[in-house]
Amino acid sequence: MDDKDALVAALMKKLTREKRARELAEKQLEQYSLDIYNTNTELQSSLLKAERNQTELKFLNDISSEISSDTSINELFNKTLSLISTFMESKYGYYIHVLDGEKKLSGQIAPPDCDGSHASALYRQLSSFLDIDVKNVSHRWLINVFEHEEFPDIHWLLSTAVSIKENEALWLVVPYHQDILDEEYLYVLDTARAQLKTGLNRRINEAKILTRNRVLQETIANLESARKQLIQSEKMASLGQLAAGVAHEINNPIGFIQSNLQTLKEYTKDLHTYSDKIGSAIAENTADDGFHQSLKKKLDIDYIFDDVGDLIDSNLQGIERVSEIVLGLKTFTHGGNEKEFISVKINEVIEQSLKIAWNSIKYDYTLNNELTELPAIQGNPGQLQQVFINLFVNAIQAMPEGGTLSITEERLSNAFIINVTDTGMGMDEKTLNQLFTPFYTTKPVGEGTGLGLSISYAILEAHNVEVNVRSEVDKGTTFSLKFLLDSGA
Amino acid sequence: MKGVVFVQFADFIEENFGLLFWDQVLEVVDPPSGGAYTTVGTYPDEEFLSLLSHICEVKQLDSGDAQVMFGRWLFEKLHAIAPPGNKAQGDPFAFLRRVQDVIHVEVKKLNQDAILPEFRFISETDTCMTMEYISPRHLNRFCEGLILGLGDYMSQPLEVVHKQSILNGDPASIFDVIKKG
């Protein structure tokens, strides 16, 4: 019986323990439920936050895409305004251009059902409400409480501006409809604003670079035209130097042509006398062979007939000589279009150049022209002639005591070289270094322009011709011009 | 220590020594929980150790042997409540590895505060696995019991040889688990 009682008592206690354990377990369960509920709530809020972050990221990403696109400043601001209005779930948005205190509405967002008058009325209200000006540009978004009976659904005005110049700024104004404005939105908007500013600066810089490029291109065009003028002036200056020599050169044939003509005039008189006397003798019937022979001998008619042919030949040669010189001068002075390259026989160019410079050469100098027939090249004959005349004249001027001007050639597989060598005073290193410098001259003031060789160099460069100069003081100078055969110049 | 161990321990004592004995044990030891254990609760280790030590004293049992007995009995109970996919099948050594690599990891996910033993496997042949048992509780013999219970469940008699034990002043606790027969 005692055992039974003890067992019952133990069972009762076990029951109490079990009850207690169940209560504890239930409590624990409730705690678990609460924990789960809390966890769920947290999860939901995290999800909402994640969704919002996603929206914010998408918004910033869209802004970035706009910033990095090639749209104009106006398009950029209109697009950004539209993105911000969508992001802030605003029905309105305004993009205002401020220049010298003048406000101009450059873009606006309005609800699709709005006839425009409502949006315009709101613009009037907010533009008197906000201090939209170039002075009032902050680096953040400005937030103003907005209360107006006509627009009961607008509680805030968000505005920001970026400066373009001291007197010019662009404003964005977005009305906000919610009662409470979350601070986080402002961080996102500030980021968007910073991006917008970067995009604007980039566009302004690009515009500046474009302007600079245009100015540079104009400068280049001006320089090009100045260069052309310079070449022409130099040509004229060289021509001036040559004029005296050329005049002499032309004078010579003209002199002997004149003298020949004088002689021919005398001969004509004699021939007239001869004819008259024979006519009279025939009329008087006194003409016989004796008379005729004696008259011929007296008037030297046989000699006249011989000499007339020689004189006419000599005159024709003289005239030929003059017209050759004139032709050479014409080629030389012809401005032409330097870009127009034609097939040029360099031997002919050198012949023409020698003719023009011949007067200077023929008395005191020996010409040693060893050129054989060279292949044709592409080039401008007038310009090349200018180069060779310049080289020949320089060579002669380097040999005031007389000497030898040699023109020789070297053949390479893809090029040929023409060497113009004088036996003159040569040049020191200083002069050599400055040889192609514009306006550098060793000649007395008033004689050289200092442009000859620099222009020659420019011409040769345009022809893809390599120039090499070797010089030794008191020995002479050699200019080597290397013409490439496949230059295509 | 998780409540499930206490609940099962109460059942084990009742099953082996009767309800009256368990009632008396609680009466004498008077644990803070009052013996009202639930599987969802967690109770101090000391409560388990004082209950165990009192029982050994009354029944004149070696504490280590008692731990082996309880562990061996407990394995099947714990195994029954283990989620599907974590059941013991195939090789017992493979299951031991699975306890360390999968089951303990899963338990930790559900109960971040759970104190779990760590197994480090030193070597393994077809019949012998040498492993280190690392636990701040140092329930080496209880672990032995659970391993023997695993052998019972898989019908593969196992023997656990304690080659080293922190409880004996060794630097680590190292077991040889040997397949018998």
Side-chain angles (χ1 to χ4, degrees):
Chain A
M1 196 59 190
D2 280 353
D3 280 359
K4 263 190 188 166
D5 284 349
L7 193 61
V8 168
L11 276 170
M12 286 304 285
K13 275 201 256 172
K14 182 173 180 178
L15 194 66
T16 313
R17 284 199 305 274
E18 294 293 340
K19 254 178 90 177
R20 176 109 190 281
R22 203 189 74 194
E23 280 166 13
L24 284 172
E26 279 168 357
K27 219 186 240 173
Q28 186 82 49
L29 210 59
E30 272 170 28
Q31 186 58 46
Y32 281 161
S33 301
L34 190 66
D35 287 351
I36 287 169
Y37 171 77
N38 285 339
T39 308
N40 270 345
T41 315
E42 267 174 39
L43 271 176
Q44 269 170 357
S45 110
S46 299
L47 187 69
L48 276 177
K49 205 168 152 52
E51 278 171 358
R52 201 168 115 170
N53 283 345
Q54 201 182 9
T55 317
E56 289 170 4
L57 276 177
K58 187 181 177 306
F59 164 67
L60 288 177
N61 190 40
D62 289 348
I63 296 257
S64 278
S65 306
E66 281 307 321
I67 302 293
S68 51
S69 70
D70 290 329
T71 50
S72 68
I73 291 175
N74 249 339
E75 278 173 286
L76 171 69
F77 271 73
N78 271 312
K79 272 278 191 186
T80 307
L81 177 69
S82 160
L83 287 169
I84 293 174
S85 287
T86 310
F87 175 65
M88 296 304 286
E89 294 174 341
S90 177
K91 290 188 250 173
Y92 305 93
Y94 299 92
Y95 157 39
I96 304 143
H97 181 205
V98 185
L99 178 64
D100 290 325
E102 285 289 316
K103 282 179 274 190
K104 186 181 149 236
L105 184 61
S106 299
Q108 75 172 20
I109 308 283
D113 55 336
C114 188
D115 66 354
S117 63
H118 205 63
S120 303
L122 177 58
Y123 175 63
R124 279 194 299 279
Q125 287 302 327
L126 65 84
S127 59
S128 64
F129 189 78
L130 296 171
D131 188 13
I132 297 173
D133 193 32
V134 283
K135 295 191 292 286
N136 198 20
V137 171
S138 150
H139 65 284
R140 301 204 60 178
W141 280 80
L142 305 171
I143 309 137
N144 293 83
V145 178
F146 185 76
E147 278 176 17
H148 197 279
E149 54 188 14
E150 214 180 317
F151 307 99
D153 62 334
I154 295 171
H155 301 290
W156 304 88
L157 289 179
L158 308 177
S159 59
T160 196
V162 276
S163 297
I164 294 185
K165 289 181 212 141
E166 247 176 56
N167 61 340
E168 193 175 4
L170 302 176
W171 278 75
L172 294 179
V173 182
V174 179
Y176 188 55
H177 303 286
Q178 306 297 321
D179 284 341
I180 295 165
L181 179 57
D182 192 330
E183 201 182 355
E184 197 175 314
Y185 279 133
L186 292 176
Y187 294 134
V188 177
L189 287 179
D190 278 339
T191 308
R193 186 196 175 277
Q195 289 189 11
L196 189 64
K197 176 100 177 106
T198 311
L200 179 69
N201 286 346
R202 201 196 81 203
R203 280 162 179 79
I204 291 172
N205 284 337
E206 276 172 4
K208 274 186 195 158
I209 288 168
L210 273 180
T211 313
R212 265 181 225 153
N213 274 353
R214 209 167 38 237
V215 171
L216 270 177
Q217 270 163 1
E218 276 167 20
T219 311
I220 288 170
N222 286 344
L223 273 174
E224 180 67 12
S225 126
R227 194 178 74 88
K228 278 182 192 161
Q229 282 174 12
L230 217 51
I231 292 179
Q232 191 61 21
S233 322
E234 161 62 16
K235 213 186 297 190
M236 289 306 161
S238 312
L239 195 62
Q241 284 178 14
L242 286 167
V246 169
H248 182 76
E249 190 67 10
I250 291 173
N251 238 3
N252 246 348
I254 283 179
F256 68 73
I257 288 168
Q258 196 180 23
S259 146
N260 286 350
L261 285 173
Q262 200 64 47
T263 311
L264 280 170
K265 198 178 171 188
E266 296 292 322
Y267 285 172
T268 314
K269 262 191 213 159
D270 288 346
L271 285 172
H272 271 296
T273 311
Y274 175 60
S275 169
D276 287 350
K277 290 223 165 150
I278 285 180
S280 305
I282 289 169
E284 289 165 13
N285 218 3
T286 53
D288 60 11
D289 191 48
F291 169 75
H292 182 222
Q293 288 306 327
S294 135
L295 186 64
K296 260 174 87 179
K297 201 172 178 186
K298 188 183 168 197
L299 290 171
D300 227 351
I301 293 300
D302 283 343
Y303 176 77
I304 288 175
F305 280 139
D306 266 357
D307 203 28
V308 162
D310 288 347
L311 287 176
I312 287 172
D313 281 348
S314 165
N315 277 9
L316 283 174
Q317 274 169 15
I319 285 164
E320 176 78 6
R321 178 94 189 104
V322 171
S323 35
E324 273 175 9
I325 291 165
V326 170
L327 182 74
L329 281 176
K330 246 168 99 183
T331 324
F332 177 64
T333 51
H334 185 250
N337 187 343
E338 64 181 58
K339 293 268 158 67
E340 270 176 23
F341 280 4
I342 54 168
S343 180
V344 179
K345 286 184 177 164
I346 208 80
N347 298 70
E348 282 180 10
V349 171
I350 289 171
E351 287 299 329
Q352 291 286 345
S353 308
L354 282 171
K355 268 176 198 158
I356 289 176
W358 183 244
N359 183 59
S360 314
I361 301 169
K362 65 180 178 186
Y363 299 113
D364 299 322
Y365 304 94
T366 313
L367 175 66
N368 178 23
N369 185 353
E370 291 180 5
L371 291 188
T372 60
E373 187 70 25
L374 290 164
I377 55 141
Q378 290 292 313
N380 181 314
Q383 288 186 348
L384 289 171
Q385 195 180 327
Q386 185 177 353
V387 171
F388 282 107
I389 289 170
N390 190 261
L391 289 179
F392 298 154
V393 169
N394 281 347
I396 287 156
Q397 285 170 347
M399 303 182 285
E401 309 291 318
T404 305
L405 171 66
S406 302
I407 306 167
T408 57
E409 67 179 49
E410 288 170 49
R411 301 273 186 140
L412 305 172
S413 63
N414 62 339
F416 61 82
I417 297 172
I418 296 177
N419 298 311
V420 177
T421 308
D422 65 58
T423 53
M425 58 181 82
M427 289 175 280
D428 58 19
E429 203 176 328
K430 189 180 157 218
T431 309
L432 260 181
N433 286 341
Q434 305 239 49
L435 204 54
F436 299 110
T437 310
F439 306 110
Y440 178 82
T441 180
T442 54
K443 294 168 195 167
V445 175
E447 271 192 32
T449 61
L451 285 173
L453 273 176
S454 70
I455 288 172
S456 292
Y457 188 74
I459 291 171
L460 291 171
E461 215 174 26
H463 282 76
N464 225 355
V465 174
E466 275 177 39
V467 187
N468 193 16
V469 188
R470 293 184 303 278
S471 188
E472 219 174 309
V473 175
D474 294 334
K475 289 268 174 72
T477 303
T478 298
F479 280 81
S480 297
L481 311 184
K482 184 177 175 185
F483 290 82
L484 295 176
L485 287 179
D486 56 349
S487 66
Chain B
M1 198 174 272
K2 299 310 292 178
V4 66
V5 178
F6 287 85
V7 170
Q8 294 299 334
F9 186 64
D11 284 356
F12 173 71
I13 300 300
E14 267 190 54
E15 202 177 293
N16 283 286
F17 306 112
L19 173 63
L20 280 174
F21 176 71
W22 177 239
D23 191 48
Q24 282 161 12
V25 169
L26 290 177
E27 196 84 13
V28 176
V29 175
D30 190 20
S33 69
Y37 298 117
T38 99
T39 52
V40 292
T42 304
Y43 305 90
D45 291 0
E46 294 75 33
E47 213 169 303
F48 176 74
L49 294 173
S50 48
L51 288 168
L52 182 72
S53 103
H54 177 70
I55 292 163
C56 289
E57 198 185 315
V58 174
K59 292 290 178 189
Q60 304 223 311
L61 287 167
D62 174 68
S63 163
D65 292 345
Q67 282 182 42
V68 173
M69 278 167 64
F70 175 53
R72 194 165 190 163
W73 181 88
L74 183 63
F75 178 84
E76 207 179 329
K77 311 286 178 191
L78 288 182
H79 187 264
I81 58 171
N86 289 312
K87 300 294 186 192
Q89 53 191 352
D91 183 57
F93 293 171
F95 182 76
L96 283 174
R97 285 186 186 275
R98 201 170 159 71
V99 168
Q100 169 63 27
D101 297 340
V102 180
I103 297 173
H104 281 173
V105 175
E106 293 300 319
V107 172
K108 201 79 184 167
K109 278 189 206 164
L110 289 170
N111 285 293
Q112 287 180 4
D113 305 329
I115 298 165
L116 298 167
E118 186 188 340
F119 298 160
R120 281 188 196 154
F121 302 99
I122 297 162
S123 67
E124 185 185 333
T125 65
D126 284 348
T127 53
C128 180
M129 176 188 250
T130 306
M131 56 182 268
E132 184 183 356
Y133 162 82
I134 304 160
S135 168
R137 293 193 174 110
H138 305 304
L139 293 171
N140 298 27
R141 300 298 305 280
F142 180 53
C143 181
E144 176 189 343
L146 283 166
I147 293 170
L148 296 181
L150 166 68
D152 297 342
Y153 177 79
M154 298 186 90
S155 309
Q156 166 60 67
L158 297 173
E159 186 191 346
V160 174
V161 178
H162 295 267
K163 287 168 72 177
Q164 287 184 36
S165 172
I166 281 182
L167 297 171
N168 298 337
D170 293 326
S173 296
I174 295 172
F175 309 162
D176 273 349
V177 182
I178 301 159
K179 287 180 189 164
K180 307 287 282 181

